[in-house]
Amino acid sequence: MLIAPGTIARRFEENLEWTTRLELVSAWATEHDGLRLLEERAEQGLRVRAIVGLWNYITEPEALRRLDQLGKLRLVGGGRRFHPKVYLFRGQGRTSAWIGSANFTAGGFAINEEAVFESENTESVTSWFQDLWRECGRLDENAIDAYERARKKNPPPPQPLAVPEGRMTAPMTLLRRVTDWDSYVAALRECDIWWSNRYSWSVLGEPASWRHTIEVLRDILTRMDLADLDDHDRRRVLGLARGGGWGLLGRMRNNSVNSVFGHNAQEIQEILHEVAEANDDAFPGLAFDAYEQMTEFGGIGEGIAARLLSLARPDRFVSVNDGSRDDLAQYSGLNPGTLGTTGNYRKLLKFIYKQRWFRAPEPDNRLEALIWEMRAALLDCFVYRPRARAP
């Protein structure tokens, strides 16, 4: 059976419902919803063995750490152009194999146009996996740290998208043309091309993009306790970590670490979890209250509050910071000097919630559904004015 593009993530989740042992081989791995799903299933007894390639430094160290924690991991060195994508599902007296083009990444599962063939004839695939598993050898305890250091010196190359015929349109001009959901998605795709051809990040791609930053940090803020985050994750949450596009949606100041993760951390976490878990009919009232509560904490300014709320509930909040303030004000007709105040942020959200593109129902298409789930926060890619320092 050929799994149709756009349904790979859904089929993966369906297969995991009966799977007790998963063996995966992927040229690259990144943090994405598929990894979060594995972690949830591992808590219910799923056993995982993974073989991941390091070629071209596209694989993310954090994804490797998470795979290592939830199962057994082996690596294929970066000097080898390792490119297979194979998944073996086992459980309840049945086996199934995937062979195709989908890496264990957001691109492979939701964004790119991929093809995957599923078969219950798994004997040769099982034998191939076992041979490769033995060949790779056990994971050295320092291997991931060593790879991370090497990756910092040799960051993955940017991957510019193909430029359409004619001149590319600036993001703010694209936003002005948006009227409904289809035009929003079309503008977002053009904006993706615009950024990817000018900078080391994009809108929807990986490993550095608005989509990736939102997806990974939303998972951290809604799945983990703030008190349990290590220094690296704290800095990622606040846009302070170098590289990876973590500064998209606003890079906070260094002293914001103490403000967010200090004595107010528990109350901040409760607000973030409340908005993340709330039903749609709780908005906009909950959004207004949450923003006001956040800005009342000592050291939590407008930029921090908007960033954290946008990451926790990206379909309902937009980040307001020095890089986005002017164009957000221009888009909404509000005063840029007071845009982040409680009253004007309330007006900004009301304006966004009234737009036809925002009020569109959730699409069936997997990529568009992914965009829909972060449609408010993704406004940042249209209004962001980059500083000299890369996010």
Side-chain angles (χ1 to χ4, degrees):
M1 177 181 75
L2 185 67
I3 302 173
T7 65
I8 293 172
R10 187 183 314 131
R11 182 63 177 173
F12 184 75
E13 186 169 3
E14 290 171 356
N15 281 358
L16 287 185
E17 291 178 0
W18 56 265
T19 299
T20 57
R21 291 170 54 198
L22 173 70
E23 291 161 341
L24 71 88
V25 180
S26 183
W28 300 310
T30 64
E31 294 181 282
H32 67 295
D33 278 350
L35 181 53
R36 175 190 54 77
L37 187 61
L38 284 191
E39 289 169 331
E40 292 175 357
R41 293 285 291 125
E43 292 177 358
Q44 301 167 19
L46 175 69
R47 290 181 292 167
V48 179
R49 290 198 297 174
I51 300 172
V52 179
L54 306 179
W55 178 62
N56 229 19
Y57 295 102
I58 292 175
T59 288
E60 295 175 346
E62 290 302 321
L64 295 178
R65 290 191 177 98
R66 291 171 66 177
L67 282 169
D68 187 37
Q69 289 173 0
L70 68 86
K72 296 181 179 180
L73 172 68
R74 297 193 175 181
L75 303 177
V76 177
R80 180 172 168 181
R81 289 178 178 259
F82 186 73
H83 218 245
K85 297 91 178 174
V86 175
Y87 303 80
L88 272 166
F89 306 89
R90 306 176 189 275
Q92 299 182 11
R94 59 188 287 198
T95 62
S96 182
W98 281 11
I99 301 174
S101 64
N103 278 300
F104 194 60
T105 63
F109 273 50
I111 297 171
N112 304 336
E113 187 168 348
E114 308 282 3
V116 173
F117 186 78
E118 179 173 301
S119 173
E120 295 185 358
N121 184 358
T122 64
E123 184 177 351
S124 60
V125 181
T126 299
S127 176
W128 174 83
F129 179 88
Q130 296 290 10
D131 289 344
L132 183 61
W133 184 259
R134 286 190 293 269
E135 178 187 339
C136 292
R138 293 183 178 180
L139 182 71
D140 184 274
E141 63 179 9
N142 299 314
I144 298 176
D145 289 341
Y147 170 70
E148 183 174 37
R149 289 192 296 270
R151 189 174 187 263
K152 287 178 179 178
K153 295 179 181 179
N154 304 276
Q159 300 176 16
L161 299 175
V163 179
E165 292 185 10
R167 190 173 180 178
M168 285 188 291
T169 306
M172 191 59 188
T173 303
L174 292 170
L175 180 58
R176 291 193 192 99
R177 297 175 183 175
V178 171
T179 56
D180 56 12
W181 178 252
D182 288 342
S183 60
Y184 175 79
V185 173
L188 207 61
R189 291 181 182 275
E190 284 196 58
C191 198
D192 196 17
I193 295 171
W194 194 92
W195 285 107
S196 71
N197 279 274
R198 285 168 171 78
Y199 296 94
S200 59
W201 63 87
S202 64
V203 178
L204 301 173
E206 50 194 353
S209 69
W210 271 273
R211 189 274 316 157
H212 181 258
T213 294
I214 293 169
E215 187 173 15
V216 171
L217 299 185
R218 174 181 57 186
D219 188 39
I220 289 174
L221 286 176
T222 58
R223 182 176 58 88
M224 301 175 66
D225 288 337
L226 295 184
D228 293 337
L229 300 186
D230 60 23
D231 182 65
H232 178 61
D233 277 345
R234 292 180 178 190
R235 295 181 67 81
R236 289 204 293 175
V237 163
L238 294 171
L240 295 169
R242 298 298 299 270
W246 304 116
L248 297 170
L249 285 92
R251 182 186 296 279
M252 302 298 105
R253 295 184 176 88
N254 283 311
N255 59 9
S256 62
V257 175
N258 291 330
S259 299
V260 174
F261 300 100
H263 65 277
N264 292 321
Q266 183 61 39
E267 294 173 271
I268 291 171
Q269 178 174 295
E270 289 174 0
I271 294 172
L272 296 177
H273 283 196
E274 182 181 10
V275 300
E277 297 167 3
N279 295 327
D280 287 346
D281 56 14
F283 294 90
L286 180 58
F288 304 152
D289 293 343
Y291 185 74
E292 186 171 24
Q293 291 173 47
M294 289 282 285
T295 54
E296 288 176 351
F297 292 119
I300 305 296
E302 300 159 357
I304 297 175
R307 175 180 169 88
L308 293 179
L309 289 167
S310 296
L311 292 172
R313 194 63 192 261
D315 63 328
R316 292 288 172 171
F317 291 92
V318 62
S319 182
V320 176
N321 54 69
D322 291 342
S324 65
R325 189 184 314 274
D326 289 344
D327 281 351
L328 271 176
Q330 188 182 133
Y331 176 55
S332 62
L334 296 169
N335 185 332
T338 58
L339 188 61
T341 62
T342 302
N344 268 2
Y345 190 74
R346 179 188 296 257
K347 292 178 182 178
L348 174 62
L349 292 186
K350 281 186 175 181
F351 172 81
I352 292 170
Y353 292 175
K354 290 179 181 178
Q355 304 307 304
R356 284 181 62 199
W357 61 265
F358 180 87
R359 292 186 287 110
E362 182 175 3
D364 292 330
N365 175 275
R366 180 65 189 114
L367 175 56
E368 290 194 20
L370 187 68
I371 292 171
W372 187 86
E373 291 170 358
M374 52 183 71
R375 61 195 185 281
L378 282 175
L379 275 178
D380 196 70
C381 74
F382 295 108
V383 298
Y384 173 56
R385 298 184 184 180
R387 304 171 184 175
R389 183 184 176 190

